[in-house]
Amino acid sequence: MRLKPQEEKIAEKIFSGDRLTFDEGMFLYQQASFNFLSVMANYVKEKISGNDVYFNINIHIEPTNYCVYNCKFCSYARKIGQEGGWEYSLEEIERIASHYKDTPITEVHITGGVHPRRDVYYYAEMIRRIREILPDVYIKAFTAIELHFMFRKARVSVEEGLQILKEAGLQALPGGGAEILDDDLSRQLHDKPGYQTWIEIHRTAHQLGIQSNATMLYGHIEKYQHRLIHMERIRSLQDETGGFNAFIPLKFRNKNNPMSDVPEVTVIEDMRNYAVSRLFLDNVPHLKAYWVNIGKKNAQLSLAFGVDDLDGTIDDTTRIYSMAGADEDHPRMTVSEMTELIRSAGRRPVQRDTLYKVVKIYD
Ligand code: SF4
């Protein structure tokens, strides 16, 4: 492979473990060859996790899709009383959790709309009830945007709110709601709080010993510089706290939302984005392809572009991306499907828990 001079310089920096600059990130997005990105992202992935690819056995619970916000890219939210809306009662949530008693799941992932009437005490009760039914399962719950609203509703600070949830049994945060951490772009995309809120909640969570992930919604109206600004903000918070486990690029899907006229980016762009993310975010240990969002085959392909985690088996309860036009109508994978997907890409499947402790190696 003949390298461009800038590629040679970047390769040297990556081999010596030096951090890439914003301009080098721009070069990777705009000019680096597809081969170069794949080879370099693979190098970094294998340095971190060898030939292993992680997944977990988890379920998603979406308590409601009623939401006070109006994100233009959202196909999922409804106002109270609107057709297509739902809200599970606490008893229904208990029934869902009970269904997974004595099964091998290790994680319950909870996210949903920002319900206008629910505060942190209600959600603490929800967590307590799930914890009682599934005492040994990790509970990873609520995006920073849901947290911000439920704390404000109860008039508690971020720290107090997180403590209330932690005492109820919350152990980790997912990474959603970040979209692109840039206020100018945010104003064009949604009416949620600005990026500092997302950063503040994750910083406080990390300080309280609650680890989290970080997502990035890409492939809509943002430019490459916005993606890099976003990743720089994640990178510098990670320098400060070390609390992020995984970075999760989420592809904008354009069905049934006010941005349906914005075309979706190509699979090639998805792969380039995974690779640049792996190279630029030198301090976040794992890069996840959320297969529900990009499809099983593309998730498998991403394993050649720096990805070392395919999220989980999930079961069929999540609707966020099926309502936005993703291929998976009822997202669910069996463990054998998941391990086969990883094996047939030449990688070794490793079941992990929420905090990336190894549960089982599938040799
Ligand atoms: S993306 Fe989340 S916060 Fe925005 S409207 Fe949809 S459910 Fe609500």
Side-chain angles (χ1 to χ4, degrees):
M1 177 167 71
R2 174 171 284 152
L3 297 185
K4 297 171 185 154
Q6 184 73 347
E7 287 173 340
E8 263 179 45
K9 199 178 138 221
I10 289 175
E12 272 167 33
K13 284 184 85 170
I14 290 167
F15 291 139
S16 358
D18 293 340
R19 177 161 282 187
L20 300 184
T21 64
F22 186 94
D23 289 346
E24 287 163 340
M26 284 300 284
F27 171 84
L28 291 176
Y29 269 129
Q30 291 174 319
Q31 295 179 57
S33 77
F34 201 51
N35 273 355
F36 177 78
L37 288 174
S38 168
V39 169
M40 295 316 299
N42 242 314
Y43 167 81
V44 173
K45 179 251 171 279
E46 289 184 4
K47 219 167 108 179
I48 297 170
S49 48
N51 201 33
D52 293 346
V53 170
Y54 299 98
F55 71 96
N56 70 356
I57 302 182
N58 64 348
I59 60 161
H60 282 207
I61 298 178
E62 292 167 8
T64 183
N65 68 342
Y66 292 136
C67 189
V68 295
Y69 294 117
N70 304 282
C71 303
K72 291 186 185 152
F73 50 80
C74 183
S75 317
Y76 170 83
R78 298 288 184 274
K79 300 299 172 203
I80 290 180
Q82 202 184 340
E83 199 186 329
W86 75 82
E87 183 192 1
Y88 293 129
S89 66
L90 291 175
E91 290 68 33
E92 283 168 318
I93 300 266
E94 282 179 311
R95 267 197 294 280
I96 296 173
S98 301
H99 183 71
Y100 294 94
K101 237 178 142 155
D102 306 319
T103 68
I105 66 160
T106 63
E107 177 186 280
V108 177
H109 168 114
I110 310 169
T111 55
V114 179
H115 195 293
R117 296 180 195 146
R118 303 288 177 223
D119 68 11
V120 67
Y121 298 109
Y122 174 84
Y123 286 109
E125 178 61 18
M126 181 183 291
I127 287 180
R128 256 192 299 277
R129 292 192 188 197
I130 296 172
R131 168 68 54 238
E132 230 174 275
I133 297 165
L134 300 168
D136 303 321
V137 167
Y138 277 96
I139 299 179
K140 182 178 86 188
F142 311 127
T143 64
I145 302 308
E146 293 167 87
L147 293 170
H148 170 257
F149 188 88
M150 67 174 83
F151 296 164
R152 257 196 16 200
K153 183 107 191 139
R155 298 174 192 274
V156 297
S157 69
V158 170
E159 190 175 339
E160 288 163 341
L162 285 168
Q163 281 290 12
I164 291 167
L165 293 172
K166 193 178 173 188
E167 277 156 29
L170 177 89
Q171 289 155 299
L173 303 188
E179 323 313 357
I180 292 277
L181 298 172
D182 176 83
D183 280 347
D184 285 343
L185 194 74
S186 294
R187 276 190 279 276
Q188 299 173 57
L189 288 172
H190 59 75
D191 52 354
K192 296 189 285 200
Y195 85 88
Q196 294 90 344
T197 300
W198 191 96
I199 294 279
E200 188 208 345
I201 288 179
H202 282 260
R203 178 186 285 120
T204 311
H206 297 173
Q207 286 163 349
L208 294 173
I210 302 169
Q211 295 178 23
S212 70
N213 294 328
T215 59
M216 173 174 79
L217 184 74
Y218 72 94
H220 40 87
I221 56 169
E222 91 288 5
K223 306 268 187 269
Y224 289 136
Q225 59 261 34
H226 293 118
R227 297 189 203 174
L228 289 163
I229 289 170
H230 179 91
M231 285 194 269
E232 272 196 330
R233 290 184 165 145
I234 304 279
R235 197 167 70 171
S236 72
L237 182 56
Q238 180 74 338
D239 279 344
E240 197 184 313
T241 65
F244 289 119
N245 283 319
F247 184 65
I248 314 162
L250 295 173
K251 175 178 182 150
F252 163 69
R253 309 303 308 243
N254 70 1
K255 300 284 177 302
N256 308 319
N257 60 49
M259 284 171 64
S260 291
D261 56 321
V262 177
E264 292 180 2
V265 296
T266 63
V267 174
I268 292 174
E269 180 61 26
D270 295 330
M271 299 304 135
R272 292 183 67 89
N273 185 59
Y274 283 122
V276 178
S277 305
R278 181 59 289 169
L279 298 174
F280 196 75
L281 283 170
D282 56 0
N283 56 359
V284 178
H286 302 287
L287 179 65
K288 183 188 288 191
Y290 185 45
W291 62 268
V292 179
N293 171 247
I294 59 160
K296 293 175 187 170
K297 284 287 161 204
N298 294 337
Q300 189 182 41
L301 186 61
S302 75
L303 302 181
F305 292 86
V307 167
D308 72 347
D309 189 291
L310 290 188
D311 197 82
T313 48
I314 289 176
D315 220 332
D316 61 356
T317 45
T318 183
R319 293 182 238 185
I320 290 175
Y321 290 103
S322 57
M323 289 171 82
D327 303 339
E328 309 290 343
D329 261 353
H330 297 286
R332 177 173 202 279
M333 256 207 254
T334 60
V335 172
S336 61
E337 233 187 310
M338 176 67 89
T339 53
E340 191 43 40
L341 196 79
I342 296 170
R343 269 205 196 100
S344 58
R347 300 291 198 192
R348 181 170 78 159
V350 174
Q351 189 198 333
R352 61 161 176 85
D353 67 14
T354 303
L355 306 182
Y356 286 83
K357 283 200 289 294
V358 172
V359 176
K360 183 172 174 184
I361 295 172
Y362 291 77
D363 270 322

